[in-house]
Amino acid sequence: MPDQPELTIQGWGPAPAAPDDGGDLAGTLPKAARKHLTRELGWTPRPTPPVAVDQIRLTESRLGEEARTALVGLLGEDNVRTDRESRLRRAGGKSYLDLLRRREGDASDAPDAVVTPGTTEETAALLAACSEHGLVVVPFGGGTSVVGGLAGMDPDDRPSIAVDLSRMASVQSLDVPSSLVTVGPGMRGPALEEELAREGLTFGHLPQSWEFATIGGYAATRSAGQASTGVGRFDELVAGLTLATPSGVLEVGHPPATAAGPDLLGLALGSEGTLGVITEVTLRVRPRPAASAYEGWSFRTWPAGLAALQRLARHDLLPDVVRLSDADETKANLMMASGAGAKALRASLRTRGHGEGCLLVVGWEGLPALIRARQREASSLLREGGAIRLGRRVGDSWKKHRFEGPYVRDRLMDGGLLVETLETAATWSALPTVYDAVRRALRETLTRDGRAPLVMTHVSHGYPTGASLYFTVLADRDDDLPIQQWLSAKRAATDAMLAAGGTLTHHHAVGADHRPWLEREIGPLGVEVLKAVKQRLDPKGICNPGVLLPD
Amino acid sequence: MPDQPELTIQGWGPAPAAPDDGGDLAGTLPKAARKHLTRELGWTPRPTPPVAVDQIRLTESRLGEEARTALVGLLGEDNVRTDRESRLRRAGGKSYLDLLRRREGDASDAPDAVVTPGTTEETAALLAACSEHGLVVVPFGGGTSVVGGLAGMDPDDRPSIAVDLSRMASVQSLDVPSSLVTVGPGMRGPALEEELAREGLTFGHLPQSWEFATIGGYAATRSAGQASTGVGRFDELVAGLTLATPSGVLEVGHPPATAAGPDLLGLALGSEGTLGVITEVTLRVRPRPAASAYEGWSFRTWPAGLAALQRLARHDLLPDVVRLSDADETKANLMMASGAGAKALRASLRTRGHGEGCLLVVGWEGLPALIRARQREASSLLREGGAIRLGRRVGDSWKKHRFEGPYVRDRLMDGGLLVETLETAATWSALPTVYDAVRRALRETLTRDGRAPLVMTHVSHGYPTGASLYFTVLADRDDDLPIQQWLSAKRAATDAMLAAGGTLTHHHAVGADHRPWLEREIGPLGVEVLKAVKQRLDPKGICNPGVLLPD
């Protein structure tokens, strides 16, 4: 249906990758990295490829004839599909658990049908019809959720339809003087940036899922991107949106700002499809930066790096892009880099006592004179904090490779590895404790035969009051019980994260995976308030049940 | 009860002002200004003083004995008051309508009792008891509402109690590394700034009500201040808060940021006491600025001024303080200024063709090098936009007088004038239309005997996507029907404002005065969502009924 390339069913990217090299990952990782993983994780390189796509098990669609007729009456025959391909492509998202299931041939979370409304009015009529016919509705944008946002369990086990937003994927209006653009929720970042570029504008949101994720999905999940320290979290970029609900259409947000009561826009953002379907988003845009500068720095230790970022934050001097890796992530990054430059860098760091150091990538964007002034002030604070400057090459290299993570993950999974990420945020005061607690929990639960997992961590978004933490974990996969292996690690890590004062999620959202902990973050009365809102907008509970809100 | 000076009952300031000079305002306005008002407004100077405080009519407290006993049981005898003085001081707020009523001896909106809980737990217990005994609860911070936020009509006409927050008025905790402070809701700005200054910190919120308004009130109404273009609206400074409701205590907000679902903090902010009582607020603080620079600029026309601000906004170059006055406000300001400097300025502006120009005051705060860089870039854009620089004297003079408005209002009312303000915000595209529409509506409804009112307007907060508009209106008062005179003007101006695309309020909140228009801003379904939240938290409808939400 969409013009844009869809994600492949069992992994990342527009098409399944060519088979790898017998599971030893020689085509993916440098030799040093492979040796390191074998030694540290006790990983045995082995081919563990996905089953063939035509072997994926899919039960028959449960969409009844009466319901189908109603949907076809509203949307037309072309926009109501129950074929295998359409359903498989909208089965779940792209978490490690999703991929494990799809790779081993399980598509039990696939929708019973896929519909493609073209307007807000059609979507509202669709929701009313689904309420009437007892159909569960799951909005589908890019399908890139990594928290089970598309795969909640309906307690009543009703048939479910994916509302694919790919027909609402264009710019609706552009108000250049007010720096506002209104777009359909199915639009992706690259397409929107292309249109904005014609006017010399950008919206600047760059998460790792950028190639496939959609504007509606960013809004529904409170996404954050690589430059969001500077341009703002996605929720901060949204000036208004339209939410089609089973009870009618809600238009929320009133730019530039209003004091007329509680914030309904903030209720719709992060609602993850549980209150309805976002059918239009108005975003703040800005002029394309006149200049940009990326560079690398190194700290001898993680605490020194955090302390320096905190000082920058306190003085509103954080760069637009800020990414501080801990020693384990820095070591892995240096191991992955090849060429003479990388070799020289490693040697130079060792010589200067930063052999076990922490890499900081910073990026500045905007007017050249302002960049220079901010950079000068920040550099002086960084130096005072013990950092040494590594230059632009390190920054540019990070920028070049920044969307590769999910592609590499597929290859690592092909070779028998567990690979997943977790993320949180905490105040500067709580950050060191949260970091320690999560790492400890992951190491305790994922150690096998005396071999601990590799946990790599970075800060990727700084605030005046704190920062995000992003953990990537690699371990030798338990081929017999891979799902349980990860679930028990995730449970322990999340418990530890919350106990130490971290948020449940900084930018991945709640989905089905974090749902058991929502009450710990917002309290029982907070859950009740959200349920009261849901009850008013979605009295039959058809909107994405099984995610976000506990039953 | 409180240690801090309270507002006088019939006007602004800690004590009633000395009687004026027979109504001709010779002690308040320069001669030129008085002549201007007489000529333009058809104003006849005349003494119209308030009635003596002991002549204010106050009906007997309706607090029943059983209810009183319950409240005393919870809070102690000292913290439950029904004396005349306590009740009068908490009657309504400080809008023009409030003052008209109080000046003519009407205190029918006074609470039946005043209680002072000391903790969140006491407040929650109090709310539960009030629910049980059928008592309406109105939180009272500084008593500075200008939109009837303290004077809603209860449809069931139950006895009402003011919950005075002056016993919860101290710093609870300070997390310097995370730039967060937690304070009681009854704390005022000056006291908090004093405590923060000891740590080299500031929170920087400076509305005109600064001397008397409270932190809880700022949060409950989504206040904005004079430097909020730079430091942010008050709602942007709040990182978390505690809300005691009849159904229990809600703790919302999770700094630095979270993606765990809809934003409950945004629901509590701007709730104006309708969901419960804010009992604790956690705020973002920042280092005291190392440097500051205030200066004046002049534009030949209002459209030129708006266009230049829009360009600054678009490039993220707006100063921390930005205040652009239209020609009418500029003329009035220049008329009010005295001394040789002011005279020279007026002459110089005339010579340079800016005799009917628009004054812009800008203020920069922060690190000296960054101020210089921002100022340089902004100055070049301002010059390109046709502005001429007037220097620091104009900026410093504005800064010196910036809290005087409400004091002057009392004097103008003493002399027979109508004086009130309105405010809104709009996108840069809609701003000129909103400006014209509101001015036209005010002029049409307030013209008497062929004399139009004086409407003075300024932008006081700029955003990338638009700006606020603040209107001050002066007219010859209709002494027979002063309330009706203003109500019809307010109705016409608000209708015009919304029709042109303005928000209902940018920072004064909804209160009782704007309540009839809330549905036009957020839609009928938006109102239903808020009612569902209120029903869950306040099922008996005791929390500040008659404000914010329509019946």
Side-chain angles (χ1 to χ4, degrees):
Chain A
M1 280 169 259
D3 297 341
Q4 308 171 111
E6 292 185 79
L7 274 171
T8 184
I9 291 168
Q10 293 166 305
W12 198 255
D20 203 58
D21 24 38
D24 77 346
L25 304 185
T28 305
L29 302 179
K31 194 171 173 191
R34 282 178 284 139
K35 272 180 68 178
H36 182 68
L37 292 180
T38 314
R39 192 176 57 234
E40 296 292 318
L41 307 181
W43 167 55
T44 315
R46 58 194 183 273
T48 57
V51 303
V53 169
D54 60 11
Q55 298 300 306
I56 297 177
R57 303 176 298 281
L58 182 69
T59 53
E60 213 174 312
S61 168
R62 298 174 300 159
L63 184 69
E65 202 41 46
E66 198 185 331
R68 211 190 90 87
T69 308
L71 300 184
V72 168
L74 285 173
L75 305 178
E77 191 74 49
D78 281 358
N79 295 310
V80 181
R81 310 234 177 159
T82 52
D83 60 287
R84 176 180 168 87
E85 168 89 5
S86 295
R87 292 174 59 206
L88 274 187
R89 281 194 182 275
R90 286 153 194 93
K94 295 296 177 190
S95 69
Y96 173 66
L97 294 181
D98 286 322
L99 297 193
L100 280 179
R101 290 191 186 106
R102 226 67 68 231
R103 290 169 66 99
E104 70 97 356
D106 174 4
S108 53
D109 45 8
D112 292 290
V114 179
V115 300
T116 39
T119 63
T120 298
E121 294 65 36
E122 275 187 14
T123 310
L126 170 70
L127 290 172
C130 289
S131 266
E132 193 189 323
H133 291 278
L135 302 176
V136 155
V137 164
V138 181
F140 188 95
T144 62
S145 172
V146 288
V147 293
L150 301 163
M153 295 283 286
D154 176 29
D156 299 328
D157 201 25
R158 293 166 286 189
S160 86
I161 62 171
V163 179
D164 185 298
L165 301 165
S166 55
R167 279 182 64 221
M168 293 190 271
S170 58
V171 170
Q172 306 292 309
S173 63
L174 177 62
D175 176 352
V176 173
S178 306
S179 295
L180 290 170
V181 66
T182 300
V183 304
M187 196 161 196
R188 294 185 190 172
L192 177 55
E193 287 292 12
E194 197 181 311
E195 291 218 28
L196 291 174
R198 282 185 217 131
E199 307 282 338
L201 299 169
T202 177
F203 78 111
H205 187 69
L206 285 172
Q208 205 169 40
S209 57
W210 188 70
E211 296 160 87
F212 298 96
T214 58
I215 303 298
Y218 293 150
T221 59
R222 297 184 176 276
S223 171
Q226 291 163 350
S228 53
T229 300
V231 305
R233 299 167 56 84
F234 196 77
D235 44 19
E236 296 174 297
L237 300 185
V238 179
L241 63 78
T242 303
L243 183 74
T245 82
S247 301
V249 174
L250 206 53
E251 293 191 31
V252 291
H254 211 312
T258 178
D263 181 21
L264 294 172
L265 175 55
L267 265 187
L269 293 166
S271 60
E272 301 185 27
T274 61
L275 304 179
V277 179
I278 294 171
T279 57
E280 226 171 63
V281 181
T282 299
L283 289 180
R284 178 198 165 182
V285 296
R286 63 190 79 216
R288 294 184 77 77
S292 74
Y294 283 75
E295 58 183 20
W297 291 76
S298 172
F299 289 94
R300 211 180 290 262
T301 68
W302 174 246
L306 288 181
L309 290 193
Q310 186 257 311
R311 283 191 71 198
L312 290 179
R314 180 177 161 80
H315 292 283
D316 267 334
L317 283 172
L318 280 175
D320 299 296
V321 172
V322 50
R323 189 181 177 99
L324 174 69
S325 295
D326 73 351
D328 284 321
E329 186 168 291
T330 300
K331 193 172 177 180
N333 285 348
L334 291 173
M335 216 174 262
M336 289 292 286
S338 51
K343 204 169 164 187
L345 175 63
R346 284 191 290 261
S348 151
L349 285 170
R350 266 196 307 274
T351 313
R352 298 162 87 179
H354 284 239
E356 303 286 314
C358 293
L359 184 67
L360 171 68
V361 172
V362 299
W364 309 89
E365 307 211 315
L367 297 171
L370 288 188
I371 290 183
R372 277 195 303 273
R374 291 167 62 210
Q375 210 171 1
R376 203 174 305 126
E377 295 284 330
S379 298
S380 121
L381 283 189
L382 289 173
R383 283 203 184 85
E384 277 174 37
I388 53 179
R389 186 167 181 278
L390 306 179
R392 302 186 68 137
R393 195 164 184 160
V394 172
D396 292 337
S397 160
W398 168 77
K399 206 175 161 185
K400 188 174 154 201
H401 297 291
R402 61 185 168 172
F403 299 120
E404 288 178 4
Y407 294 93
V408 173
R409 179 176 59 163
D410 286 348
R411 298 292 74 73
L412 300 184
M413 288 182 74
D414 289 343
L417 284 164
L418 175 160
V419 49
E420 182 55 310
T421 63
L422 298 105
E423 41 83 64
T424 183
T427 61
W428 292 110
S429 296
L431 214 55
T433 319
V434 173
Y435 172 77
D436 289 341
V438 172
R439 279 167 56 88
R440 192 180 318 116
L442 289 171
R443 293 166 71 96
E444 280 174 10
T445 46
L446 289 173
T447 293
R448 300 182 75 198
D449 304 328
R451 308 292 182 94
L454 178 57
V455 184
M456 299 169 289
T457 311
H458 63 255
V459 164
S460 57
H461 189 131
Y463 301 85
T465 56
S468 68
L469 281 178
Y470 194 91
F471 303 89
T472 303
V473 54
L474 289 182
D476 189 42
R477 189 163 67 227
D478 177 345
D479 287 335
D480 295 329
L481 294 169
I483 290 181
Q484 287 80 340
Q485 180 190 25
W486 176 243
L487 283 180
S488 61
K490 172 83 175 177
R491 194 178 310 119
T494 307
D495 282 340
M497 189 184 276
L498 291 174
T503 62
L504 178 53
T505 165
H506 170 259
H507 62 268
H508 281 171
V510 178
D513 296 359
H514 293 146
R515 192 168 78 125
W517 289 274
L518 182 68
E519 186 174 308
R520 266 179 71 183
E521 172 140 334
I522 69 172
L525 192 55
V527 170
E528 289 300 315
V529 168
L530 293 183
K531 284 185 171 176
V533 173
K534 180 168 172 78
Q535 175 63 28
R536 180 62 190 82
L537 295 176
D538 176 27
K540 298 280 175 64
I542 62 159
C543 293
N544 214 4
V547 312
L548 183 60
L549 293 168
D551 288 330
Chain B
M1 278 168 261
D3 297 341
Q4 309 173 109
E6 293 186 81
L7 273 171
T8 184
I9 291 167
Q10 293 166 304
W12 197 254
D20 203 56
D21 25 40
D24 76 347
L25 305 186
T28 305
L29 302 178
K31 195 171 171 191
R34 282 177 283 138
K35 273 180 66 179
H36 182 69
L37 291 180
T38 314
R39 194 175 56 234
E40 298 290 319
L41 306 181
W43 167 56
T44 315
R46 57 192 185 275
T48 57
V51 304
V53 169
D54 61 10
Q55 299 299 306
I56 297 176
R57 303 177 298 281
L58 182 69
T59 53
E60 213 173 313
S61 168
R62 299 175 298 160
L63 184 70
E65 202 41 46
E66 197 184 329
R68 212 190 90 86
T69 309
L71 300 184
V72 169
L74 286 174
L75 306 177
E77 191 75 49
D78 282 358
N79 294 313
V80 181
R81 308 234 177 159
T82 53
D83 60 287
R84 177 179 167 86
E85 168 86 7
S86 295
R87 291 175 59 208
L88 275 187
R89 282 196 183 273
R90 287 150 193 94
K94 295 297 177 190
S95 71
Y96 173 66
L97 295 180
D98 286 323
L99 297 193
L100 280 179
R101 292 192 185 104
R102 226 66 68 232
R103 289 169 66 98
E104 73 97 355
D106 174 4
S108 52
D109 46 8
D112 291 291
V114 180
V115 300
T116 39
T119 62
T120 298
E121 293 65 36
E122 276 188 14
T123 310
L126 172 70
L127 290 171
C130 289
S131 266
E132 191 190 326
H133 291 279
L135 301 176
V136 156
V137 164
V138 181
F140 187 96
T144 62
S145 171
V146 289
V147 293
L150 300 163
M153 295 284 285
D154 176 28
D156 299 327
D157 202 26
R158 292 166 287 189
S160 85
I161 62 170
V163 180
D164 185 298
L165 302 166
S166 54
R167 281 181 65 220
M168 293 190 270
S170 57
V171 170
Q172 306 293 309
S173 63
L174 178 62
D175 176 353
V176 173
S178 307
S179 294
L180 290 169
V181 65
T182 300
V183 304
M187 195 160 199
R188 295 185 190 172
L192 177 55
E193 287 292 13
E194 199 181 311
E195 292 217 29
L196 292 174
R198 281 184 219 134
E199 306 282 340
L201 299 170
T202 178
F203 78 111
H205 188 68
L206 285 172
Q208 206 169 40
S209 58
W210 187 69
E211 295 160 88
F212 299 96
T214 57
I215 303 299
Y218 294 150
T221 60
R222 297 185 176 275
S223 171
Q226 292 164 349
S228 53
T229 299
V231 304
R233 300 167 55 86
F234 196 76
D235 44 19
E236 296 173 296
L237 301 184
V238 179
L241 62 77
T242 304
L243 183 74
T245 82
S247 302
V249 174
L250 206 53
E251 293 192 32
V252 291
H254 212 311
T258 176
D263 181 21
L264 294 172
L265 176 56
L267 264 188
L269 292 166
S271 60
E272 301 185 27
T274 62
L275 303 179
V277 178
I278 294 170
T279 58
E280 225 171 64
V281 181
T282 298
L283 289 178
R284 180 203 162 178
V285 296
R286 63 191 78 216
R288 295 184 77 75
S292 75
Y294 283 75
E295 59 182 19
W297 291 76
S298 172
F299 289 95
R300 212 180 288 265
T301 67
W302 175 246
L306 288 181
L309 290 193
Q310 186 256 310
R311 281 190 71 199
L312 290 179
R314 182 178 160 78
H315 292 282
D316 266 335
L317 282 172
L318 280 175
D320 299 296
V321 171
V322 51
R323 189 182 178 98
L324 173 69
S325 295
D326 73 351
D328 285 321
E329 186 169 290
T330 301
K331 194 172 179 179
N333 285 348
L334 291 173
M335 217 174 264
M336 289 293 288
S338 51
K343 205 170 160 185
L345 175 63
R346 283 191 289 262
S348 150
L349 285 170
R350 266 196 308 273
T351 313
R352 298 163 88 178
H354 284 239
E356 304 285 314
C358 292
L359 185 68
L360 171 68
V361 172
V362 299
W364 309 90
E365 308 212 314
L367 297 172
L370 287 188
I371 290 184
R372 277 194 303 274
R374 290 167 63 210
Q375 212 171 0
R376 204 174 303 124
E377 296 284 331
S379 298
S380 121
L381 282 189
L382 289 173
R383 284 204 182 85
E384 278 174 34
I388 53 178
R389 187 167 181 277
L390 307 179
R392 303 186 68 138
R393 195 163 185 159
V394 172
D396 291 337
S397 161
W398 168 78
K399 205 175 161 186
K400 190 175 152 197
H401 297 290
R402 60 186 169 172
F403 299 121
E404 288 177 4
Y407 294 93
V408 173
R409 178 175 61 163
D410 286 350
R411 299 292 73 75
L412 301 183
M413 288 182 75
D414 289 342
L417 284 164
L418 174 160
V419 48
E420 183 53 311
T421 62
L422 297 105
E423 40 84 63
T424 184
T427 60
W428 291 110
S429 296
L431 213 57
T433 320
V434 173
Y435 172 77
D436 289 340
V438 173
R439 279 167 56 87
R440 192 182 315 119
L442 289 171
R443 293 167 70 95
E444 280 174 9
T445 46
L446 288 174
T447 294
R448 301 181 74 199
D449 304 328
R451 307 292 183 92
L454 178 57
V455 184
M456 300 169 290
T457 311
H458 63 255
V459 164
S460 56
H461 189 131
Y463 300 86
T465 57
S468 69
L469 281 177
Y470 193 90
F471 303 90
T472 303
V473 55
L474 289 182
D476 188 42
R477 189 163 68 228
D478 178 346
D479 286 337
D480 296 329
L481 294 168
I483 290 180
Q484 288 79 344
Q485 180 190 24
W486 175 244
L487 282 179
S488 60
K490 171 81 176 180
R491 193 178 309 120
T494 308
D495 281 341
M497 190 184 273
L498 292 175
T503 61
L504 179 52
T505 165
H506 170 258
H507 62 268
H508 280 171
V510 178
D513 297 1
H514 292 147
R515 190 169 77 123
W517 289 274
L518 182 68
E519 186 174 309
R520 266 179 70 183
E521 172 140 336
I522 68 172
L525 192 55
V527 170
E528 289 299 314
V529 168
L530 293 183
K531 283 185 171 177
V533 172
K534 180 168 171 78
Q535 175 63 29
R536 181 62 191 80
L537 295 176
D538 176 27
K540 298 281 176 64
I542 63 159
C543 292
N544 213 5
V547 312
L548 183 61
L549 293 169
D551 287 331

